[in-house]
Amino acid sequence: MTDTQIFHDSPADRAHRVKWFSGRLAVYVLLILWAIICLFPIYWTLTTSFKMAPDVMKGNMVPWVDFTPKWLGWKSLGLSPDTWGNESTVRAEFLKRFANSAIIAVTSSVLAVALGSLAAYGLSRFSYQFAWMRNSDISFFFLSQLILPPVVLALPMLVLYKELALLDTRIGLILLYTLSVLPIVIWIMRDQFSSIPTELEEAALVDGLSIWGAFVTIILPIALPGMVAAFILSLVLTWNEYFFAALLTSTHSNTLPVMVASQTGSQGISWWSMAALAWAAILPLIIIGVVLERYIIKGMAAGAVK
């Protein structure tokens, strides 16, 4: 007895299946291409940190094929395997700048998320009136602070910080960075709080909780993904900020972006040292982004579907 196929796909079904697979294949090809484009700068930076000067100038790209990797860039920072156990002033300076960047970026981001979340919660739950301004006007006022170019604030901030004795201090950059990213945090968290039903707070108030109690115990846990996304975005912006860090600091509070930009001399740019510094600077952000990926996606998607 031979097995024969009773049911067959119609030509229309086969055509639809081919069209579906073709569409999926095209999407995956485009995604892979876009991923290569986005990751190429990181790959180029990492490989450049292991190149010698001739390899950098020739544009050699593939390790062990176009060039033999060396620890030139990392050795110049005292971070290569053969120099890690030795005393190095350059490594000490790098660690100092790294600590400055970490303290300033994390502190300012935490402050911005804390203050921005409170402001955003108020704008999403209460009605305010300041002269002719309503909630929507106040929200746009916060966002409009980002329109002003940083160079316009250079001279006023320099004079102000000199009078307040905040030049070349961590607290000075923390205050400035907190104000810089605060509008972004407010807009992210306002959408996050607006997507949370007010019935949850009303039920908490009926159960005897105060407004602050409902905010802390009910609203904040739900809004945590948005807060994490706002924190990561603030951290990236403050970690990579260069203009004000170069303008308002000189010796004690310089950050990593300033150190990266200083890898120039009379003989040209030390591309290998700059690449090693840049990779060491972006590596913590890559790790944080990978670890907190699910919170970032949830936070960015909050409020998109109601």
Side-chain angles (χ1 to χ4, degrees), residues 55-79:
D55 298 319
V56 176
M57 301 306 173
K58 292 179 182 178
N60 296 332
M61 297 300 302
V62 183
W64 292 286
V65 177
D66 294 333
F67 68 95
T68 302
K70 302 292 183 181
W71 290 89
L72 180 62
W74 301 96
K75 188 175 182 179
S76 63
L77 301 178
L79 298 176

Side-chain angles (χ1 to χ4, degrees), residues 255-289:
T255 56
L256 275 180
V258 179
M259 189 176 184
V260 173
S262 66
Q263 299 304 305
T264 58
S266 58
Q267 298 180 352
I269 302 175
S270 301
W271 293 107
W272 40 91
S273 301
M274 183 178 290
L277 268 174
W279 178 253
I282 66 177
L283 184 59
L285 297 182
I286 294 176
I287 296 175
I288 293 175

Side-chain angles (χ1 to χ4, degrees), residues 118-182:
L118 295 176
Y121 180 74
L123 290 173
S124 65
R125 288 296 189 267
F126 306 101
S127 297
Y128 297 98
Q129 181 177 353
F130 181 76
W132 71 91
M133 301 177 66
R134 303 295 191 270
N135 284 35
S136 58
D137 302 316
I138 296 174
S139 299
F140 179 77
F141 170 77
F142 284 120
L143 190 63
S144 66
Q145 307 308 305
L146 301 176
I147 301 175
L148 196 64
V151 68
V152 177
L153 300 175
L155 183 59
M157 294 302 300
L158 190 60
V159 175
L160 177 63
Y161 270 45
K162 183 178 180 180
E163 293 296 325
L164 297 177
L166 291 176
L167 289 177
D168 200 19
T169 61
R170 291 175 177 173
I171 185 65
L173 286 183
I174 289 173
L175 294 175
L176 180 59
Y177 287 176
T178 301
L179 294 177
S180 300
V181 299
L182 190 60

Side-chain angles (χ1 to χ4, degrees), residues 102-118:
I103 293 173
I104 293 171
V106 172
T107 305
S108 58
S109 299
V110 170
L111 287 175
V113 170
L115 297 176
S117 296
L118 295 176

Side-chain angles (χ1 to χ4, degrees), residues 203-215:
L205 294 177
V206 171
D207 290 339
L209 289 178
S210 62
I211 295 179
W212 279 103
F215 175 72

Side-chain angles (χ1 to χ4, degrees), residues 214-297:
F215 175 72
V216 173
T217 60
I218 304 298
I219 303 302
L220 280 187
I222 300 176
L224 181 60
M227 297 178 68
V228 173
F231 173 79
I232 295 299
L233 182 58
S234 302
L235 186 66
V236 171
L237 294 175
T238 54
W239 183 275
N240 295 324
E241 203 282 327
Y242 168 77
F243 180 77
F244 287 112
L247 177 69
L248 302 177
T249 63
S250 57
T251 305
H252 302 292
S253 301
N254 275 345
T255 56
L256 275 180
V258 179
M259 189 176 184
V260 173
S262 66
Q263 299 304 305
T264 58
S266 58
Q267 298 180 352
I269 302 175
S270 301
W271 293 107
W272 40 91
S273 301
M274 183 178 290
L277 268 174
W279 178 253
I282 66 177
L283 184 59
L285 297 182
I286 294 176
I287 296 175
I288 293 175
V290 171
V291 173
L292 301 178
E293 177 187 5
R294 61 191 184 97
Y295 290 103
I296 298 175
I297 296 175

